[in-house]
Amino acid sequence: MGKVPKKRSLADKVRKTKTSIEIKNNPFEVKINRKKFDVLGRKTKHDVGLPGVSRSKANTKRKETLLKEYKLKNKSSKFIDKRLGEYDNKIAPEDKILQRFAMERQRVHDKKDMYNLNEEEELTHYGQSLAEMEKFNDMVNSDDETEEKGLLSAELTASHFGGGGLLRKKTSGDQHEEEGGHRSKSRQELIEDLIQKSKQEKRERQVQREEAQELTEKLDLDWKNIHSLMVKNTPKAEQADKPEEMPKLDPYDMMVRELGFEMKAMPSERLKTPEEIAREGRDKLQKLEADRLRRMMGEEAGDSVQSRSHLSADDLNDGFILDKDDKKTLAYQDGKWNIGEQSGENEEEDEEEGVSAEVDESEEEDDGDEGEDEDEDEDKEGEVEDGSSEEEDGHSDLDSEQESEDEGREQDDEQTGAEPKKSLSEEEMKGQQEAAKAELPYTFTAPESYSDLKDLLHGHTPDNQRLIVARTQKCNHPSLAVGNKLKLQKLVGFLLEHIGELASLNPPELTTVDKLIPELYGLCQMFPDAACKAMQRVLGDAAHSMEEVLEVKGHIAFPDLDMLIYLKVTALLFPTSDFRHPVTTPALLYISQALTKCPVRSLQDVTSGLVLCCLAVEYVSFSKRFLPELINFLAGTLHLAVQDKTSLGYTMVPPFRTSGKNSDLLVLSDSESCKNWSKKSLPLSAAQHLELTTDQDRDQHRLMCLSTCLDLVKRCCLLYKDLASFPNIFQPIRMLLSKHLSTQTLPEPLQELHSLILEAVSSAPVTNSRLVFDKKKPIPLKLLTPKIVEVLDYGKKRGGTKEEREKERLIHKYKKEFKGALREIRKDSRFLAKEKLNEVMSRDAERKRKVRELFGSLATQEGEWKALKRRKKK
Amino acid sequence: MAPAKKRNVSSLKSTEQCVKTAKIQLDGKVEQILESRKHANDVFDLLELLQSEKEKDVISAVGSCSKLFCTLLERKALFKGKLPGEEETLSGGYSPEKKYGIFMRHRYNSCVEILLELLSHEAHSVKETALCCLMKFAAGEGEHPLEDLDWSEHYTFPRELIQTVIDRLLSKTADNSLLISRFQEFIEMEDVRYYAMSSIRDCVGKVMDKNKGALMPVFQNNAFTLMSNISIPSQESELTNFMVKQEAKHEDWKAAKLNEQKRVFERMWLGFLKYKLPSSMYKNILVILHDSILPHMSKPTLMIDFLTAAYDVGGAISLLALNGLFVLIHQHNLDYPDFYKKLYNLLEPSIFHVKYRARFFYLINLFLSSSHLPVYLVAAFAKRLARLALTAPPAALLIVLPFIYNLIRRHPSCRVLIHKPNTEDETPEDPYLMDEEDPAQSCALESSLWEIKTLQQHYHPDVAKAALMINTPLTGKEEDISDVLELTTFELMERDLKQTQTKTVPLEFETASQLLQGGGDVLGQHFCLN
């Protein structure tokens, strides 16, 4: 029983001593796995097995792992290798070394010399102090070594090891000469000779080296003199002291070392040059533009990927937009580092740049903030402090200006536009604003309902309202708490509602709406879906009520101002050029519906209609899509200005009628009013309330409408001039302008427009080529090549789909692994059992031996005793 | 506070009680009258109450009157035949029975008169109860005729009563549409309908002649409401619902014959239509003409004059007349010269905006469905529609474009309109003449549908997609336009609004900072914030 394992271990031992080739060639070790059939070209891994080798391998492995574990079982003390990263394969060896080095350094850095600034720890190289090495005393030795290495090459090798044939041949000539004199020299002598020779050479070289050293020392001395001349700023006293105190420490060496050991600057992210930034900005815009064009053409693919592409790569997709200016990059400003200055302003900077691109706004905010800080800190100092704060303000303005210059040309443009405004507001409004802003709190809870928002914003100036919204948005940023995202999403809807209400007030507070636009835009960028839903709801409701009225009455009143504002906001938030867009397409339909179904009954209606037309033109200005209702309405509006409504050369499209109650709304009551008319912008509120008391006023308004209308017609001409039936589309307008609206009745600026339009319409190129179908690719002939189906395995049923096959493969793999694991476990337990048995047997054997020993000793004792007795008897 | 409330409540209660007691009293009175002749004079109380100011009183009085006289009619207690004057009865030697009959008959007559007056009462409930009561009387009279049968050719039907009721209904001053709709319930009865129709004709003739054919909107409206409610069953066997059953010779009764009914119906309408009509009513008549008038006429061809006149009017009325004309052409073999030419000239920009767009396109689709039409005509229609499409709203475009495609599919020789390869001549201008009235001379075949090419740039995605179809050869199957006919702009909007988008919504990337910014600054250039 005990024999077999013994044998095996012996075999293992034998095996170990043999090389692998030997084993492989030994037919007793090799087991050939029989193959059922040979497959040509298949590489087989397992045709030959080495069961003995693998068994012994497994055995040793078990001994190393399992046996150790078994032996250490129930033992609580452990050896722990605390060497840093010894068993961590992830760390690269260099890193490991670095870390260990750092650890060591730390250990050396004891607490006692924590405040010891001067004394450096000793640096070593190969265990030797670097300071020692600096003295260059050992130069000789090191050189010696190198020289000797060089010596090894030629003669020495030749003499010592017999050398190569070639070498010998070369020297054969010399040797012949020598052979003449010392032929009889024995090998011993020869070697002695050689040693002598080499010693001599060595001595010579040493002399040479000494000379060289002397020369270098001399040179060093010389250089010191020159060096003292060169380095002017080192005080003479020190120079005098130094050689005495540490004569070996050379300023030059120190400098070299300093340079050598100085922390190498890690290559950080390169700062981008303005050109690069500009190029990047341009690229981004180009990409977005391309995207827009693609959507305009109605191509679907890849939409979602690129729609957000303008966000930065670091964006976590949580709508956080403050990211870019959180950290100040190291930069020079006015010749100084910007760290010191910025630390004080960081907060404001963040706010300022995070809010939006509109700089003047946030600067006002800055002012407020700073003023308040000042108030809180030093109330007593009053006026003087105020002045200083203003100075600071000026400076911070400067800073921000310079920074924002880097931010790309878009913002640049805006800023230059905003600049004069800012200076005005700074000078005039400063006092008031500070007073007002001091009351504004900095944190706001997000409104839960619309009435909450109303309460929040009630009674504030437009600027403050904007600030409040901005702060609310910041306080409830999605990254700050879990529910914030939802809250802000709701805020989008509330803001929209608020805007609608502001617009429907009398008089409408459009300036407030104007101020809120950037906030709304920002929120929309954060939550496109929520904004889309909110806008769709607004449009849907409006359209629904419109439809209801339309079904009952057959016509509708023009949409209110709030709806006009909504339509405008839609255009600001969503791209109007998309082929199909969930918000802008319905919005355009709404406009078209309003333009076709709302009869024009008053000047106010005309104004509303023109606002709608303006919006329509804006909507299609980029995509240049054809909007028939727009042309109809413009033609109808022009028709309203025609005095003589007989013998028209065109037909009116509903809602306009050729003649009737309200068909000469725009006919001037007094032709003289043309003369003192000048163009100015109409207020948007004119679409809602129009109070024109005198005929004069009314005529002025009529001319305004007419000018707007003509301008829109001109724009349409430019937009649609490439359409195939351009002349047909503009035929009514052309008739109107050429036959019925003569230039005499119009004021001068309008006459110009008039002639421009007529020119554009009549000069349109009419090279219509015949319509033909698109060329199609010819359908290829049917080919009769056989269809090849891949047959992977014969006789075996294969799952049809990819998933099934994958599943089957996995199951198979699992089974295999399971079996393997079972086998391993069995082997492990067998091994353990064997070990245990060995243990037991060795223990038994020991005991037996001891018992036998005891018996033996007892027997001898007994024997001795008996012998003694016998002896006594005798 | 509390006591006042109580008082209020109690007063309310008391009024209710009053009404109740009044009703109980009335019922009691009716019963007393019916019980014995002693109380006959209480009738006057009832009649007085009928003329009272209070609605409730009137209504309850009407109720009790109807109860009273209906039972009297049933008992045949009313005098029959030619009614002698009241004074005569006192002097003439009548039996007390007869005297009572005559007395009651007089009261009955005055009651009917008052009820007729009540038909023009301002409260609808009063009108309604009065009408119901009158019709009950009519039914009662029909069962138990008050006239002598011998000399009446009208079998036993209270013709006069119906006539007067109709006269009242067709008021010249008040809009009676509510009451008329109530009357519809009675009109469903065959005999009532028959007599009502002839009464209407008489009434209309009378009134309009008196007015010398001038417009009478209220009266005509009333008449139209009443007439449009009349419909005649299509089968004679369905004539079963009679108010009065004739015992003898029921089969010969005119009211029981479908043909007679139809003839009266036809005469009634023709009588109505020969006068001048307000244009809105014109449209309404034309709207219902094809399905509720023409089928019920015995000779629909009599409508030809009316329809051709309407077709010549132009505009929406012409469009509507098409439907009737179509029925006549299709089912009654009407030959209409230049029908297609006129149809062609009907195509105006307004057809896309009128309410009857769907109906018009349905019909024009029918008219142009024939494959025997000449190519030039079809091409002219297609081209004209395409030209008009340049002014159409998107919902209409979604009808017109498939419609044009269908035309081209039906008439493959029209394919040159969208596909004309190998032409050397570069046409400088569209040869099509829009103003030409004759489709044959409009040169449509020499033209191409550039308008559809233009519409490929339309702002609405669906329209643009539809217009893109001319770029490829049209597929063989015709599109069914019937499901887009009723499409409204709102539905189009909802398509986009209701769509659950899976992708993220594309956003405008140009930062918005001001309200009037963006889109070429068109709005900002002409309008300012304040």
Side-chain angles (χ1 to χ4, degrees):
Chain A
M1 209 184 132
K3 268 186 179 176
V4 182
K6 231 180 193 174
K7 244 186 191 171
R8 190 174 282 166
S9 64
L10 186 75
D12 287 347
K13 210 183 266 174
V14 169
R15 208 174 281 122
K16 263 175 209 160
T17 55
K18 285 177 181 169
T19 58
S20 61
I21 298 166
E22 245 176 306
I23 293 170
K24 266 185 193 161
N25 290 338
N26 183 358
F28 295 102
E29 289 284 4
V30 173
K31 179 180 184 290
I32 292 172
N33 293 324
R34 198 176 66 87
K35 277 181 280 184
K36 265 188 179 165
F37 17 66
D38 268 328
V39 177
L40 210 68
R42 180 190 282 175
K43 280 179 186 165
T44 45
K45 270 185 190 169
H46 307 293
D47 49 354
V48 174
L50 299 170
V53 175
S54 56
R55 195 185 303 122
S56 74
K57 246 188 222 167
N59 218 19
T60 47
K61 201 170 184 189
R62 286 211 173 79
K63 264 182 194 156
E64 272 166 16
T65 53
L66 197 61
L67 191 64
K68 261 184 194 159
E69 259 175 59
Y70 173 70
K71 288 209 168 130
L72 287 176
K73 209 171 81 177
N74 300 330
K75 291 194 172 70
S76 55
S77 57
K78 272 181 198 166
F79 283 109
I80 296 171
D81 193 347
K82 276 194 170 174
R83 279 177 296 174
L84 197 99
E86 183 61 28
Y87 300 105
D88 201 346
N89 293 327
K90 285 169 197 165
I91 303 173
E94 291 85 29
D95 291 347
K96 215 186 279 179
I97 291 163
L98 264 178
Q99 279 181 359
R100 281 182 184 169
F101 181 64
M103 282 275 285
E104 203 159 343
R105 288 274 291 266
Q106 268 179 358
R107 214 176 299 140
V108 172
H109 251 308
D110 266 336
K111 268 186 183 170
K112 61 181 180 188
D113 49 21
M114 200 154 62
Y115 303 103
N116 199 351
L117 294 174
N118 291 328
E119 227 156 284
E120 277 181 280
E121 73 275 32
E122 207 179 30
L123 297 171
T124 58
H125 181 67
Y126 286 119
Q128 281 178 303
S129 164
L130 277 174
E132 294 292 320
M133 279 163 72
E134 287 304 319
K135 294 166 194 169
F136 299 111
N137 287 339
D138 48 354
M139 237 153 83
V140 185
N141 293 334
S142 64
D143 257 8
D144 218 22
E145 278 166 20
T146 52
E147 285 301 318
E148 234 149 23
K149 265 173 209 163
L151 194 81
L152 248 168
S153 56
E155 288 163 65
L156 200 73
T157 40
S159 53
H160 276 283
F161 306 108
L166 274 172
L167 262 172
R168 246 196 223 165
K169 268 179 191 170
K170 266 190 179 176
T171 53
S172 60
D174 299 22
Q175 273 180 352
H176 277 296
E177 282 171 25
E178 279 177 47
E179 268 171 323
H182 318 278
R183 186 157 269 270
S184 57
K185 263 185 192 171
S186 69
R187 190 177 161 75
Q188 185 104 34
E189 282 168 334
L190 237 164
I191 287 173
E192 272 171 12
D193 223 30
L194 216 123
I195 289 168
Q196 242 181 358
K197 214 190 262 175
S198 72
K199 269 181 183 169
Q200 198 184 342
E201 271 177 24
K202 201 175 175 184
R203 217 172 296 127
E204 274 168 17
R205 258 179 281 132
Q206 211 158 357
V207 171
Q208 258 184 3
R209 215 169 299 130
E210 270 164 9
E211 276 171 8
Q213 204 175 356
E214 266 171 32
L215 277 172
T216 14
E217 270 170 10
K218 199 183 162 196
L219 193 69
D220 274 357
L221 264 172
D222 287 350
W223 187 80
K224 253 178 221 165
N225 296 337
I226 303 167
H227 183 70
S228 64
L229 287 175
M230 272 165 59
V231 188
K232 272 178 190 170
N233 49 358
T234 41
K236 273 187 179 171
E238 270 182 48
Q239 268 194 331
D241 288 346
K242 258 182 189 170
E244 288 168 28
E245 281 173 4
M246 0 181 204
K248 290 154 203 167
L249 216 64
D250 217 341
Y252 168 76
D253 295 335
M254 270 180 47
M255 262 163 81
V256 168
R257 251 165 58 195
E258 244 171 44
L259 285 173
F261 289 101
E262 192 179 61
M263 261 299 255
K264 290 260 167 51
M266 294 297 280
S268 67
E269 287 264 315
R270 191 170 58 95
L271 284 182
K272 280 167 184 162
T273 59
E275 296 95 64
E276 276 178 323
I277 290 169
R279 197 185 319 129
E280 246 174 35
R282 198 194 57 216
D283 287 351
K284 199 176 84 183
L285 280 179
Q286 272 175 352
K287 194 160 164 282
L288 287 171
E289 199 62 28
D291 202 25
R292 175 200 283 271
L293 279 172
R294 199 177 39 69
R295 289 202 309 265
M296 195 170 101
M297 304 311 294
E299 289 160 33
E300 302 286 325
D303 229 0
S304 56
V305 186
Q306 303 191 346
S307 62
R308 277 181 162 264
S309 56
H310 57 276
L311 295 180
S312 105
D314 299 330
D315 196 78
L316 294 174
N317 217 359
D318 58 355
F320 193 70
I321 26 175
L322 305 178
D323 50 1
K324 60 174 175 186
D325 286 308
D326 274 353
K327 251 192 259 168
K328 278 288 156 218
T329 46
L330 196 64
Y332 287 98
Q333 220 164 33
D334 305 331
K336 277 179 269 174
W337 279 3
N338 60 353
I339 307 170
E341 290 163 1
Q342 234 104 47
S343 59
E345 293 171 7
N346 257 347
E347 262 178 69
E348 293 132 9
E349 297 281 358
D350 280 358
E351 253 185 339
E352 173 192 314
E353 310 210 23
V355 171
S356 82
E358 223 186 344
V359 180
D360 63 332
E361 209 78 46
S362 47
E363 260 158 15
E364 281 168 20
E365 191 186 333
D366 274 0
D367 297 349
D369 290 355
E370 224 152 282
E372 198 174 275
D373 287 348
E374 227 73 61
D375 283 349
E376 281 169 4
D377 293 338
E378 291 144 312
D379 261 4
K380 303 167 207 165
E381 293 189 33
E383 295 243 300
V384 186
E385 200 56 39
D386 245 4
S388 74
S389 84
E390 247 171 90
E391 267 177 25
E392 259 187 50
D393 285 353
H395 193 58
S396 75
D397 285 349
L398 239 160
D399 285 355
S400 59
E401 267 166 51
Q402 282 180 345
E403 276 155 24
S404 55
E405 263 170 47
D406 296 343
E407 285 178 19
R409 52 163 199 256
E410 263 180 90
Q411 292 189 6
D412 256 358
D413 291 350
E414 272 172 29
Q415 203 181 8
T416 47
E419 207 64 17
K421 232 195 267 174
K422 182 197 72 185
S423 62
L424 256 182
S425 64
E426 263 195 344
E427 283 158 22
E428 291 173 8
M429 314 277 288
K430 182 137 190 156
Q432 297 170 19
Q433 279 186 357
E434 267 183 10
K437 288 212 181 116
E439 291 163 19
L440 271 187
Y442 284 88
T443 54
F444 293 92
T445 49
E448 287 296 324
S449 67
Y450 173 55
S451 55
D452 285 357
L453 181 76
K454 232 164 72 176
D455 292 342
L456 208 60
L457 298 180
H458 182 70
H460 287 288
T461 61
D463 282 331
N464 277 0
Q465 289 200 11
R466 189 198 155 180
L467 257 182
I468 292 171
V469 175
R471 285 179 185 169
T472 314
Q473 193 184 330
K474 220 172 292 163
C475 293
N476 297 287
H477 196 272
S479 59
L480 298 178
V482 180
N484 281 348
K485 197 169 172 188
L486 210 68
K487 282 181 193 164
L488 286 185
Q489 280 177 349
K490 274 191 209 158
L491 185 65
V492 182
F494 299 151
L495 261 185
L496 272 181
E497 208 173 323
H498 184 60
I499 282 174
E501 198 175 291
L502 285 174
S504 51
L505 286 176
N506 187 22
E509 287 187 23
L510 294 181
T511 36
T512 318
V513 176
D514 190 37
K515 295 283 181 212
L516 287 174
I517 289 296
E519 294 312 314
L520 193 62
Y521 180 79
L523 277 172
C524 178
Q525 293 289 330
M526 284 164 94
F527 311 108
D529 286 333
C532 168
K533 286 264 162 59
M535 213 57 188
Q536 280 187 329
R537 200 164 44 241
V538 167
L539 286 172
D541 288 351
H544 187 68
S545 53
M546 198 187 227
E547 182 69 13
E548 273 177 351
V549 176
L550 197 61
E551 254 171 31
V552 178
K553 284 200 209 157
H555 57 81
I556 35 179
F558 270 98
D560 290 336
L561 186 61
D562 56 340
M563 205 50 220
L564 300 180
I565 296 296
Y566 277 137
L567 289 171
K568 177 65 203 169
V569 169
T570 306
L572 286 177
L573 298 184
F574 301 101
T576 50
S577 55
D578 284 14
F579 184 67
R580 185 188 276 278
H581 189 280
V583 183
T584 47
T585 306
L588 249 181
L589 270 175
Y590 183 87
I591 292 176
S592 115
Q593 178 83 336
L595 287 179
T596 39
K597 297 288 182 194
C598 303
V600 176
R601 289 184 172 137
S602 62
L603 279 178
Q604 192 181 314
D605 286 350
V606 177
T607 321
S608 294
L610 286 175
V611 173
L612 280 174
C613 286
C614 283
L615 284 172
V617 171
E618 283 191 3
Y619 270 72
V620 296
S621 63
F622 187 79
S623 55
K624 300 196 174 170
R625 294 195 193 287
F626 177 46
L627 196 79
E629 294 85 347
L630 175 64
I631 305 293
N632 293 347
F633 194 89
L634 290 176
T637 313
L638 288 179
H639 175 75
L640 293 180
V642 172
Q643 258 169 345
D644 182 23
K645 297 227 154 71
T646 48
S647 72
L648 299 166
Y650 53 88
T651 46
M652 281 285 84
V653 180
F656 295 96
R657 277 175 292 176
T658 325
S659 58
K661 203 169 59 177
N662 291 312
S663 59
D664 26 55
L665 270 174
L666 290 182
V667 176
L668 297 181
S669 56
D670 182 10
S671 54
E672 289 302 300
S673 47
C674 289
K675 284 170 187 161
N676 47 16
W677 176 79
S678 64
K679 182 164 169 52
K680 57 181 190 293
S681 296
L682 279 172
L684 269 179
S685 52
Q688 195 81 319
H689 304 281
L690 199 57
E691 281 172 23
L692 299 170
T693 41
T694 60
D695 274 353
Q696 189 74 20
D697 282 351
R698 235 167 275 151
D699 276 354
Q700 290 290 322
H701 190 80
R702 278 173 188 144
L703 283 171
M704 292 297 309
C705 289
L706 211 54
S707 98
T708 307
C709 183
L710 282 173
D711 182 61
L712 288 177
V713 169
K714 194 192 82 190
R715 281 169 191 273
C716 287
C717 278
L718 294 177
L719 279 180
Y720 296 146
K721 67 170 183 291
D722 293 331
L723 292 183
S725 33
F726 174 73
N728 296 327
I729 293 167
F730 280 90
Q731 189 263 342
I733 287 178
R734 190 178 159 194
M735 286 297 284
L736 257 167
L737 290 181
S738 58
K739 299 266 168 66
H740 303 283
L741 269 181
S742 55
T743 37
Q744 284 85 36
T745 57
L746 296 173
E748 265 179 36
L750 295 193
Q751 286 177 15
E752 224 170 272
L753 265 178
H754 184 273
S755 52
L756 264 177
I757 295 166
L758 271 184
E759 204 176 299
V761 173
S762 45
S763 73
V766 270
T767 47
N768 285 337
S769 51
R770 291 283 179 182
L771 290 181
V772 280
F773 294 140
D774 281 348
K775 284 207 177 73
K776 261 198 318 186
K777 265 189 196 166
I779 301 165
L781 288 174
K782 263 186 186 172
L783 296 177
L784 297 174
T785 45
K787 190 184 173 191
I788 296 169
V789 183
E790 208 180 357
V791 180
L792 295 168
D793 261 311
Y794 296 95
K796 218 177 197 180
K797 209 189 86 187
R798 281 273 161 179
T801 63
K802 203 176 173 186
E803 289 93 58
E804 278 174 357
R805 253 179 288 151
E806 181 73 1
K807 199 180 167 192
E808 227 158 76
R809 198 179 63 77
L810 283 177
I811 287 173
H812 180 245
K813 203 172 178 185
Y814 159 75
K815 269 185 185 166
K816 226 165 91 181
E817 292 293 319
F818 184 74
K819 275 182 192 164
L822 263 186
R823 206 159 41 223
E824 285 300 305
I825 290 169
R826 273 197 205 111
K827 276 181 185 168
D828 280 354
S829 51
R830 206 179 298 147
F831 174 79
L832 271 184
K834 211 194 299 167
E835 284 301 324
K836 275 181 196 168
L837 184 67
N838 273 347
E839 223 170 78
V840 169
M841 284 210 308
S842 63
R843 222 187 297 135
D844 285 355
E846 180 78 355
R847 192 165 171 274
K848 223 180 230 171
R849 190 182 56 76
K850 280 180 180 165
V851 166
R852 211 180 290 141
E853 221 167 68
L854 279 178
F855 271 125
S857 71
L858 280 177
T860 39
Q861 224 176 354
E862 185 82 10
E864 278 170 6
W865 182 70
K866 271 184 181 166
L868 207 69
K869 223 163 98 179
R870 226 176 287 141
R871 235 181 270 166
K872 271 181 186 172
K873 265 183 192 172
K874 279 176 187 174
Chain B
M1 223 20 220
K5 219 177 196 177
K6 228 175 216 173
R7 209 177 303 140
N8 274 343
V9 172
S10 61
S11 68
L12 254 177
K13 266 185 188 166
S14 65
T15 50
E16 268 174 34
Q17 276 169 351
C18 273
V19 172
K20 262 186 192 169
T21 49
K23 205 167 188 190
I24 292 165
Q25 276 178 1
L26 277 178
D27 286 348
K29 264 184 195 164
V30 170
E31 263 164 40
Q32 278 177 353
I33 296 167
L34 290 175
E35 252 170 40
S36 68
R37 292 174 194 167
K38 271 193 287 183
H39 302 287
N41 276 337
D42 287 349
V43 177
F44 288 108
D45 293 347
L46 283 180
L47 294 182
E48 204 176 310
L49 212 57
L50 265 183
Q51 284 157 305
S52 105
E53 299 285 306
K54 289 182 192 164
E55 274 178 42
K56 278 178 187 164
D57 288 351
V58 176
I59 290 172
S60 50
V62 171
S64 33
C65 275
S66 85
K67 193 175 174 189
L68 173 65
F69 289 111
C70 282
T71 22
L72 284 178
L73 276 170
E74 249 173 64
R75 288 185 193 172
K76 304 191 178 174
L78 294 182
F79 182 79
K80 275 189 187 178
K82 204 170 180 322
L83 188 66
E86 211 149 356
E87 278 82 49
E88 275 178 57
T89 43
L90 293 177
S91 57
Y94 292 104
S95 65
E97 294 255 333
K98 275 227 161 129
K99 265 187 188 170
Y100 177 74
I102 291 167
F103 171 77
M104 272 310 180
R105 179 75 195 281
H106 274 290
R107 297 293 79 74
Y108 172 70
N109 283 356
S110 54
C111 176
V112 167
E113 260 168 48
I114 294 168
L115 285 175
L116 286 171
E117 287 293 321
L118 284 180
L119 280 185
S120 36
H121 196 270
E122 57 262 29
H124 175 66
S125 53
V126 174
K127 282 196 228 175
E128 200 179 320
T129 40
L131 181 70
C132 291
C133 181
L134 280 170
M135 292 317 285
K136 257 186 205 165
F137 287 166
E141 275 189 53
E143 289 289 311
H144 313 283
L146 294 175
E147 312 294 329
D148 284 330
L149 282 175
D150 305 335
W151 58 275
S152 166
E153 57 153 0
H154 280 287
Y155 291 80
T156 53
F157 195 81
R159 202 168 165 243
E160 282 79 14
L161 191 59
I162 294 290
Q163 173 84 54
T164 47
V165 168
I166 293 286
D167 285 351
R168 284 285 168 177
L169 278 180
L170 302 181
S171 155
K172 280 161 221 150
T173 49
D175 180 23
N176 266 343
S177 50
L178 269 176
L179 200 57
I180 288 169
S181 63
R182 184 79 175 81
F183 190 66
Q184 196 182 0
E185 179 185 308
F186 304 106
I187 272 183
E188 267 158 28
M189 289 182 274
E190 324 296 340
D191 43 357
V192 178
R193 187 194 314 124
Y194 179 79
Y195 288 106
M197 285 193 294
S198 51
S199 320
I200 291 169
R201 189 182 54 131
D202 291 350
C203 179
V204 168
K206 233 175 0 193
V207 173
M208 295 309 285
D209 282 342
K210 211 195 269 175
N211 248 332
K212 295 188 183 120
L215 280 181
M216 299 180 69
V218 180
F219 172 74
Q220 281 176 320
N221 203 23
N222 280 334
F224 174 69
T225 329
L226 183 55
M227 284 158 70
S228 61
N229 280 332
I230 297 174
S231 67
I232 294 170
S234 50
Q235 303 255 305
E236 187 135 9
S237 57
E238 282 172 41
L239 297 174
T240 47
N241 181 15
F242 289 93
M243 186 167 84
V244 182
K245 272 277 176 201
Q246 305 294 341
E247 283 108 31
K249 296 193 278 178
H250 179 76
E251 300 302 310
D252 294 344
W253 193 24
K254 275 185 179 173
K257 282 187 194 156
L258 189 64
N259 271 341
E260 287 297 322
Q261 292 250 7
K262 280 192 170 180
R263 196 166 298 143
V264 177
F265 180 82
E266 180 184 294
R267 252 184 272 154
M268 171 184 79
W269 273 109
L270 288 176
F272 181 69
L273 293 180
K274 81 182 167 202
Y275 299 103
K276 202 179 168 196
L277 297 169
S279 71
S280 65
M281 187 178 296
Y282 220 134
K283 284 182 195 164
N284 285 337
I285 291 170
L286 288 170
V287 168
I288 62 161
L289 187 73
H290 69 286
D291 61 10
S292 54
I293 300 177
L294 281 180
H296 302 315
M297 291 174 74
S298 63
K299 279 187 205 153
T301 38
L302 289 175
M303 276 290 182
I304 285 175
D305 287 339
F306 173 72
L307 282 174
T308 43
Y311 193 41
D312 290 337
V313 169
I317 291 176
S318 305
L319 296 187
L320 290 171
L322 267 181
N323 214 338
L325 271 182
F326 171 70
V327 174
L328 291 186
I329 292 170
H330 184 229
Q331 289 164 10
H332 302 285
N333 216 9
L334 174 73
D335 187 22
Y336 195 96
D338 287 341
F339 177 77
Y340 281 104
K341 194 176 160 189
K342 271 192 179 162
L343 187 64
Y344 178 74
N345 285 313
L346 272 186
L347 300 179
E348 285 289 320
S350 57
I351 54 165
F352 296 118
H353 298 269
V354 289
K355 245 196 322 196
Y356 318 105
R357 183 175 69 199
R359 177 197 284 259
F360 176 72
F361 274 99
Y362 169 75
L363 285 173
I364 200 169
N365 190 29
L366 272 181
F367 295 143
L368 294 175
S369 59
S370 162
S371 55
H372 297 299
L373 293 174
V375 182
Y376 75 86
L377 188 73
V378 177
F381 268 100
K383 179 70 187 173
R384 194 174 176 94
L385 281 172
R387 182 60 67 80
L388 294 177
L390 288 178
T391 62
L397 284 174
L398 288 177
I399 304 172
V400 175
L401 290 176
F403 184 77
I404 293 174
Y405 296 153
N406 281 352
L407 283 185
I408 295 172
R409 283 191 187 110
R410 271 177 221 147
H411 305 272
S413 38
C414 280
R415 216 172 77 146
V416 287
L417 285 178
I418 54 169
H419 182 60
K420 202 171 195 178
N422 57 44
T423 41
E424 308 80 41
D425 55 326
E426 188 75 356
T427 46
E429 230 167 297
D430 199 346
Y432 173 71
L433 303 170
M434 184 73 175
D435 299 330
E436 178 60 53
E437 284 191 0
D438 189 0
Q441 280 153 26
S442 64
C443 308
L445 268 179
E446 279 109 79
S447 178
S448 282
L449 295 180
W450 289 294
E451 289 82 2
I452 296 182
K453 187 103 188 155
T454 305
L455 287 176
Q456 290 178 357
Q457 290 291 314
H458 195 269
Y459 69 94
H460 197 268
D462 293 346
V463 175
K465 263 184 202 161
L468 272 175
M469 278 176 69
I470 57 157
N471 280 359
T472 51
L474 298 170
T475 47
K477 248 190 189 171
E478 277 186 28
E479 285 170 70
D480 188 16
I481 61 163
S482 57
D483 37 332
V484 288
L485 280 178
E486 298 285 347
L487 192 73
T488 65
T489 315
F490 182 59
E491 281 163 6
L492 269 183
M493 275 174 96
E494 283 212 317
R495 275 190 203 171
D496 278 314
L497 291 175
K498 291 282 150 69
Q499 201 179 44
T500 51
Q501 66 266 358
T502 47
K503 287 178 284 186
T504 50
V505 188
L507 292 174
E508 179 63 50
F509 61 81
E510 274 170 33
T511 321
S513 55
Q514 278 168 320
L515 183 63
L516 296 182
Q517 164 213 44
D521 269 342
V522 186
L523 194 62
Q525 215 166 67
H526 297 287
F527 292 91
C528 61
L529 288 176
N530 286 311

